[in-house]
């Protein structure tokens, strides 16, 4: 019987079990992580929980801060007790999970309270992670109706204010809130967020509202104001999302039902579970033959799955023959059908038996369907329960699965011109997600640099040459 | 370890195991049948095997009989030693399996040697059932090229010869072969096959060539020349196809690979296996909502599958909670998707976990694809390994599964006007297949009668009101 329901103290005690079964039952499905959260991280989280309890929704400091926001008054640095960062619901679910973790880490580093815009469905997907006080932004928050219009060109954005010189480090009277635009289309002024000097200014603003679709943690490592703290929090550097993800993201009971029923019906009895996440970014919906070829070249080449005997010679099952369950996720069913038929129509050369499963094929991203994102979330979680994982380049959906699972996946390279890349895949050097659109700027020297070459533990990603990811520095450069 | 590899003597010993693994391995997958073949049936089969060995392909008597056929000479009753019935490959695979069993039974009753036209793919589907001599008609059989043209209007057909008075009981000089047309479009003259007097004449013809898509066994029971022998052979009357099917139909190694791999990958670990065979005869391909409704009304109404809790309340799994594997077969995937999603999206009221599996969805009958009929055969066989079976009215595909499995299925009624029938299904009274187009004629009285009311063990079918099937007479009329 597993006893460590709280992941070695990562999770706070004292929640109502029934209200969020996944928090306590996940130990029944996950292998124990080889990575332990550091005592410093754990105490930081406990402190955060205290802060959240003190400053969270509908507390006196919250009400005061909202009052100030509503009044539109400008503020001097000492005028508020609690400071907030609001995560605006934006982009696909994989992206959202990564950005929420990034924003939470930023909150930890800057002593802010994280509040989550629930968008259409966040409350149906995730349990409350903090004891006692909700992490959701109250529905009567005064400027929620502006969130949709916030964008790269918004006058409220910090980048635009810098560009127009409305604000600068020496400004005394600061606005009660600033909009931070850290989405893929952000410009050089928006990117000044990653400079220590600007952080000093931001630190004085009680409300920060952030819209992002990027896992921006790697660039925080390059900032001297955060670097030391980050290294203390995460002595195993590639575990940032792994720990924060397991701390923050607990599927609601409805999603947990999807996860546990699927696991028990299709995966539990296998000797080994292999996850294959297929996401293509071609213009058409597929399926494409070159992707079929890539999947089999990768899984068989890397010995994740056995080869088949084209002549159909049946190998008598041996003592070592295993039942392997392949969990595939994809918007379409074609890749699944191909793998499934391969192992149905032909025997394996090892005598292993391969069952292939795909929970859904939603055909396209369709966030309006109530179950759509629940299924997406359930599938990321199910992938994270695999023993071995294959993911698709560029996809945050896969990053979430690898991070939660503590897995270094084999990444299926993005294809050029619809041909199978050679090699078809590569083992990731770290389980951290990739920051797809990092800045390439040296704030002190005020010039461009290759930010993937500054420190050994922040490198370019395997799947996106200009991206940045955190790795453990014992890996060679 | 199961030891009775030969089904209590039903199967002959002395085959090469490697050449047909299914013959000996099926005991590993099938529950022991509660029905035992009678000693009389077993000795009849052993005698048949002797006959087949003596008269089979390329023996001296075979060569002599073929010579006579080639010469086109008419024959007197005593001129040949061995007599033959040739089964012509015709219709869908379920139909073929049923007719082949019917024709074999007719061969047993009339001391004929069964020879099987291999069509395009029979040899890829079925192992040799008789020791030493093949059951396949040699490729150089003189009139194989006529088989395609044989039909209801053929001058060679016995029915037409009777109609035109070319032949009658007193005819002394008989042709060396006759074509017997017993397909769905046969007429009253063709149907005289089921009269004892005509059998006396047919008995003298060395070669009978039969094309049929009907399981005509029930009408043999109504013929005084066969009735006694049939009752001796099958004291448990509803086991005719069950025993003959298990005796005759052994999947080839390639098909056996499909069966065993699928079973091990998807079905073996479940506590219970439920087969659901969905075949619609609507004009469009479906899926139709009324069929989805019918499947859930039947399976839940008959407690084959649990109801789901629409509110999503999760029942904690109890001691008695089971993992049930549902095996669905259908040309389309829509019905499978519906059942699968139902049990993924909702918890069951019992806490049972339901996994749903469908091997293929071929969209339409496409006999030209080499694997198509192999998969159809594998699926019939897999269905027959279920603990409980749901079949579709009218479908011989389902009859094969129920008969081989020794299962009384729940039959999904055929719908009128695309509405869900009420009740949606009924438990079959016997596991025997239904004869879809029986004659309604009293040969002695020379008048029409209701052949479903003559003896208690031949009755109208559950799924086709005018069809006939054999039941055990302890069932009430
Ligand atoms: N259920 C399901 N949805 C998917 C899958 N792949 C993509 N989607 C949908 O498409 C969205 C993709 O956005 P995101 O999760 O941000 O991942 P990314 O675009 O691959 O980085 C998901 O949130 C889902 O809504 C899949 O394999 N399964
Ligand atoms: N693989 C597969 N083929 C099917 C299925 N249902 C029908 N077919 C195909 O359609 C044919 C139907 O003919 P038959 O077997 O005689 O069954 P019937 O028409 O239902 O009496 C089969 O032989 C297959 O080729 C199915 O569930 N699975």
């Amino acid at each position: 019987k597993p006893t460590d329901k709280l992941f070695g103290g990562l999770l706070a005690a004292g929640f109502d079990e029934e209200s969020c079964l996944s928090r306590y039952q996940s130990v029944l499905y996950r292998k124990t992580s080889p990575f332990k959260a550091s005592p410093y991280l754990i105490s930081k989280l406990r402190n955060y929980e205290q802060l959240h309890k003190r400053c969270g929704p509908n507390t006196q400091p919250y009400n005061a801060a909202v009052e100030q926001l509503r009044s539109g008054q400008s503020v001097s640095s000492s005028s508020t007790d609690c400071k907030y960062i609001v995560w605006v619901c934006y982009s696909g679910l994989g992206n959202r999970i990564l950005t929420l973790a990034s924003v939470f880490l930023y909150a930890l580093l800057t002593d802010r309270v994280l509040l989550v815009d629930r968008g259409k469905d966040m409350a149906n997907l995730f349990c409350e992670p903090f004891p006692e006080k909700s992490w959701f932004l109250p529905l009567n928050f005064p400027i929620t109706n502006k969130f949709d219009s916030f964008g790269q060109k918004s006058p409220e954005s910090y980048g635009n204010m810098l560009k127009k010189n409305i604000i600068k480090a020496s400004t005394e009277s600061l606005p009660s809130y600033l909009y931070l635009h850290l989405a893929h289309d952000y410009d050089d002024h928006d990117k000044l967020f990653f400079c220590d000097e600007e952080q000093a200014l931001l630190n004085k603003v009680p409300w920060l509202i952030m819209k992002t679709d990027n896992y921006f943690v790697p660039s925080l490592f390059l900032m001297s104001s955060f670097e030391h703290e980050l290294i203390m929090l995460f002595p195993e550097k590639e575990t940032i999302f792994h720990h924060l993800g397991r701390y923050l993201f607990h599927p609601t009971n409805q999603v947990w039902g999807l996860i546990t029923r699927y696991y028990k019906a299709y995966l539990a009895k296998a000797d080994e579970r292999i996850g294959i996440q297929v996401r293509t970014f071609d213009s058409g919906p597929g399926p494409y033959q070159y992707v079929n070829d890539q999947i089999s070249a990768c899984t068989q080449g890397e010995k994740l799955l056995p080869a088949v005997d084209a002549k159909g010679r049946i190998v008598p099952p041996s003592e070592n023959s295993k039942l392997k369950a392949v969990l595939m996720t994809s918007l379409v069913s074609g890749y699944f059908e191909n793998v499934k038929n391969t192992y149905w129509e032909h025997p394996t050369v090892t005598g292993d038996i391969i069952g292939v499963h795909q929970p859904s094929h939603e055909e396209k991203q369709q966030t309006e369907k109530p179950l759509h994102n629940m299924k997406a979330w359930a599938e990321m979680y199910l992938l994270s329960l695999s023993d071995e994982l294959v993911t698709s380049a560029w996809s945050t959906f896969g990053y979430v699965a690898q991070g939660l699972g503590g897995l270094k996946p084999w990444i299926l390279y993005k294809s050029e011109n619809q041909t199978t890349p050679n090699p078809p895949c590569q083992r990731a050097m770290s389980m951290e997600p990739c920051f797809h659109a990092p800045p390439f700027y040296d704030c002190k020297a005020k010039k461009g640099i290759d930010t993937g070459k500054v420190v050994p533990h922040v490198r370019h990603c395997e799947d996106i040459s200009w991206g940045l990811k955190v790795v453990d520095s014992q890996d060679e450069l």
Side-chain angles (χ1 to χ4, degrees), chain A:
Chain A
K1 284 268 167 185
T3 48
D4 180 18
K5 289 185 173 185
L6 299 175
F7 295 141
L10 182 68
L11 304 188
F15 282 93
D16 168 25
E17 291 210 22
E18 293 295 304
S19 70
C20 183
L21 296 167
S22 66
R23 190 194 316 271
Y24 296 97
Q25 293 183 357
S26 70
V27 287
L28 304 171
Y29 298 87
R30 291 209 177 285
K31 290 183 295 189
T32 312
S33 171
F35 308 101
K36 298 278 158 274
S38 69
Y40 186 62
L41 172 60
I42 290 175
S43 76
K44 189 100 182 171
L45 292 173
R46 291 300 91 80
N47 289 341
Y48 176 82
E49 289 157 8
Q50 289 308 316
L51 176 72
H52 197 93
K53 186 172 152 188
R54 185 165 63 79
C55 305
N58 307 320
T59 56
Q60 191 277 324
Y62 172 84
N63 291 338
V66 164
E67 209 33 64
Q68 187 175 57
L69 178 66
R70 205 188 303 270
S71 72
Q73 284 167 8
S74 58
V75 289
S76 64
S77 60
S78 61
S79 63
T80 51
D81 188 18
C82 301
K83 291 174 297 168
Y84 299 87
I85 181 153
V86 175
W87 173 92
V88 176
C89 185
Y90 175 62
S91 187
L93 188 58
N95 281 286
R96 288 193 222 162
I97 292 173
L98 297 183
T99 58
L100 200 36
S102 308
V103 174
F104 178 61
L105 181 59
Y106 180 71
L108 287 183
L109 293 170
T110 56
D111 297 314
R112 286 182 181 269
V113 174
L114 167 66
L115 292 175
V116 172
D117 163 31
R118 65 192 84 201
K120 282 206 173 44
D121 54 7
M122 292 299 285
N124 298 327
L125 299 171
F126 302 101
C127 297
E128 295 286 351
F130 311 129
E132 301 189 52
K133 289 277 172 247
S134 177
W135 72 339
F136 288 116
L137 189 67
L139 291 171
N140 61 0
F141 186 70
I143 60 169
T144 306
N145 60 356
K146 291 195 172 185
F147 291 173
D148 266 357
S149 66
F150 284 157
Q152 208 277 316
K153 305 251 176 284
S154 301
E156 298 91 341
S157 105
Y158 182 53
N160 279 320
M161 291 192 173
L162 288 176
K163 188 161 20 183
K164 295 180 191 143
N165 259 310
I166 298 172
I167 208 166
K168 54 175 172 283
S170 57
T171 307
E172 296 243 317
S173 169
L174 292 167
S176 57
Y177 81 92
L178 279 176
Y179 168 63
L180 297 172
H181 185 75
L182 296 187
H184 55 276
D185 61 347
Y186 68 156
D187 76 4
D188 289 344
H189 285 91
D190 299 315
K191 288 178 190 170
L192 295 174
F193 173 82
F194 295 103
C195 293
D196 294 303
E197 307 88 281
E198 321 301 324
Q199 285 297 329
L201 183 147
L202 290 176
N203 200 25
K204 301 178 204 153
V205 178
W207 290 96
L208 298 178
I209 318 284
M210 191 186 287
K211 204 181 251 189
T212 174
D213 52 7
N214 265 303
Y215 181 74
F216 57 75
V217 170
S219 289
L220 301 181
F221 262 95
L222 301 178
M223 297 168 69
S224 54
S225 46
F226 300 136
E227 186 183 13
H228 178 67
E229 183 80 0
L230 283 169
I231 290 173
M232 300 247 295
L233 288 168
F234 300 100
E236 294 176 302
K237 298 190 189 62
E238 62 166 308
T239 62
I240 305 164
F241 181 74
H242 178 64
H243 292 313
L244 295 183
R246 286 180 175 214
Y247 175 73
L248 287 175
F249 304 115
H250 302 283
T252 52
N253 286 353
Q254 195 179 349
V255 177
W256 191 239
L258 292 176
I259 293 165
T260 54
R261 283 191 295 275
Y262 201 89
Y263 190 87
K264 292 181 196 169
Y266 303 102
L267 307 173
K269 305 272 184 175
D271 300 311
E272 204 176 308
R273 277 160 287 279
I274 317 287
I276 305 180
Q277 182 247 347
V278 185
R279 177 100 165 105
T280 56
F281 294 91
D282 291 282
S283 47
Y288 299 101
Q289 186 53 41
Y290 81 86
V291 180
N292 283 329
D293 296 341
Q294 185 175 9
I295 294 167
S296 58
C298 174
T299 53
Q300 296 180 27
E302 301 294 336
K303 307 258 182 270
L304 301 171
L305 292 176
V308 296
D309 188 324
K311 296 216 185 68
R313 280 175 303 236
I314 296 177
V315 176
S318 81
E319 291 285 298
N320 303 325
S321 293
K322 283 183 178 162
L323 173 61
K324 298 192 180 197
V326 178
L327 173 72
M328 292 188 70
T329 70
S330 166
L331 287 171
V332 296
S333 57
Y335 306 116
F336 154 76
E337 300 261 346
N338 189 261
V339 177
K340 185 179 171 215
N341 281 329
T342 299
Y343 290 104
W344 186 33
E345 294 171 5
H346 310 97
T348 61
V349 295
T350 54
D352 288 340
I353 294 290
I354 315 297
V356 189
H357 308 272
Q358 181 167 322
S360 75
H361 48 98
E362 298 274 285
E363 312 311 335
K364 55 181 176 31
Q365 195 171 337
Q366 35 186 333
T367 335
E368 58 294 351
K369 269 184 28 187
L371 273 170
H372 175 79
N373 270 334
M374 292 201 178
K375 289 186 173 178
W377 176 209
E379 290 174 27
M380 288 184 238
Y381 200 102
L382 284 164
L383 285 170
S384 82
L385 302 177
S386 308
D387 298 302
E388 307 283 7
L389 183 62
V390 177
T391 57
S392 291
W394 289 61
S395 174
T396 62
F397 198 96
Y399 297 161
V400 171
Q402 79 197 37
L404 291 180
L407 300 163
K408 279 188 192 157
W410 282 262
I411 305 170
L412 295 165
Y413 282 117
K414 196 152 184 285
S415 131
E416 305 293 336
N417 321 322
Q418 311 216 340
T419 55
T420 303
N422 185 3
C425 62
Q426 184 198 314
R427 185 93 195 245
M429 45 189 178
S430 124
M431 62 183 169
E432 271 288 289
C434 175
F435 181 6
H436 287 183
F440 298 105
Y441 185 65
D442 181 330
C443 301
K444 291 221 187 68
K446 296 196 192 312
K447 65 175 171 64
I449 48 158
D450 183 346
T451 42
K453 300 256 167 78
V454 179
V455 294
H457 50 274
V458 177
R459 301 231 207 123
H460 287 300
C461 310
E462 306 86 348
D463 55 339
I464 300 192
S465 59
W466 58 89
L468 290 185
K469 75 186 282 185
V470 180
V471 302
D472 272 308
S473 33
Q474 61 259 39
D475 294 322
E476 302 133 57
L477 205 61

